[in-house]
Amino acid sequence: MDALIISNFLLWGVVLCLVLVILALSRQIGVLYERVAPMGALTMDKGPGVGEPAPRFELADLLGRRIVVGERGQHSQLLFFLSPTCPVCKKLLPILKSVASTESAWLRIVLASDGEMPEHLAFYKQAGLERFPYLLSTELGMKFQISKLPYAVLIDETGTLRAKGLINSREQLESLFTAKELGVASVQEFLAAGTLEETRISRKESGNALAG
């Protein structure tokens, strides 16, 4: 009988230890997640700021279709700056096609670049991009001050610039949509604000504890 009681105590002790280990691991996972939180698109230009009206352009695309950039409308507009010689741009093309389908209820994607028409037209057809307007305009890139590719600018239905940044992955592209939903300039800004708020609360609690 005594042996049974002892074995039960030992068993519950083991269970308790396992619970404590799981709790400790959960906490460490949370800390690790905060440290490696997904990076949003990095803003690299000095062009029009988030929250400002987007520059308005009326241009013809590679197929001669009239495209208006920065116009009020029923859909948001994603300007995606790319180049036929940019390997990362080519890697992201399937993602753009996927996003164009999944976000079609509220978003329209417009490709933009500059250079010679024959090279871009060949790239346009070879990559199967006919579903997207493709603008060739040096002035457009200069107005947004695009210096690195691939780069994306998100303009909302009111013609207001809502998010922008250097894009290297689907996560960074979708971070522009998240920034728009949160009403912030970038995901980095949102994460930084959260960190600052946590620090402020922690300092306040520490101060109250010392005062007590």
Side-chain angles (χ1 to χ4, degrees):
M1 188 66 177
D2 290 341
L4 181 59
I5 294 173
I6 292 172
S7 63
N8 282 334
F9 272 116
L10 290 174
L11 179 60
W12 279 109
V14 171
V15 171
L16 181 60
C17 289
L18 288 174
V19 169
L20 293 174
V21 169
I22 292 172
L23 290 174
L25 288 174
S26 299
R27 183 178 181 279
Q28 289 302 314
I29 290 172
V31 171
L32 181 62
Y33 177 79
E34 288 180 0
R35 289 178 179 174
V36 298
M39 288 295 292
L42 182 62
T43 301
M44 300 288 291
D45 69 88
K46 296 181 181 179
V50 172
E52 297 178 1
R56 189 181 185 278
F57 285 83
E58 187 172 339
L59 303 164
D61 77 345
L62 291 182
L63 301 182
R65 296 171 293 192
R66 173 183 171 272
I67 304 298
V68 179
V69 174
E71 186 178 43
R72 285 177 175 267
Q74 296 181 341
H75 301 90
S76 291
Q77 191 175 62
L78 182 76
L79 280 180
F80 191 84
F81 291 86
L82 76 171
S83 167
T85 59
C86 167
V88 179
C89 300
K90 294 177 181 178
K91 183 192 75 171
L92 293 174
L93 292 180
I95 295 173
L96 284 179
K97 294 176 182 178
S98 173
V99 168
S101 297
T102 58
E103 309 296 335
S104 61
W106 68 279
L107 183 70
R108 295 292 181 267
I109 297 176
V110 177
L111 306 179
S113 191
D114 60 6
E116 299 299 322
M117 171 74 79
E119 178 188 11
H120 287 274
L121 190 57
F123 168 65
Y124 186 61
K125 293 180 176 180
Q126 183 179 4
L129 299 174
E130 288 86 351
R131 67 185 297 182
F132 302 112
Y134 194 122
L135 304 176
L136 276 185
S137 172
T138 301
E139 186 182 359
L140 184 64
M142 290 178 64
K143 193 67 176 181
F144 285 99
Q145 297 191 25
I146 306 302
S147 59
K148 292 189 177 182
L149 299 174
Y151 203 89
V153 176
L154 182 62
I155 303 169
D156 72 7
E157 298 84 351
T158 69
T160 302
L161 199 157
R162 286 300 172 198
K164 59 182 179 177
L166 191 65
I167 305 297
N168 290 308
S169 66
R170 187 185 189 106
E171 289 73 21
Q172 289 182 329
L173 179 60
E174 291 181 343
S175 75
L176 300 184
F177 308 153
T178 302
K180 176 180 180 290
E181 293 171 359
L182 295 173
V184 296
S186 67
V187 171
Q188 288 100 327
E189 177 186 288
F190 178 75
L191 292 173
T195 301
L196 288 173
E197 180 63 16
E198 288 177 3
T199 301
R200 186 187 67 80
I201 293 172
S202 177
R203 287 177 177 172
K204 183 177 180 181
E205 291 177 347
S206 297
N208 290 341
L210 290 173

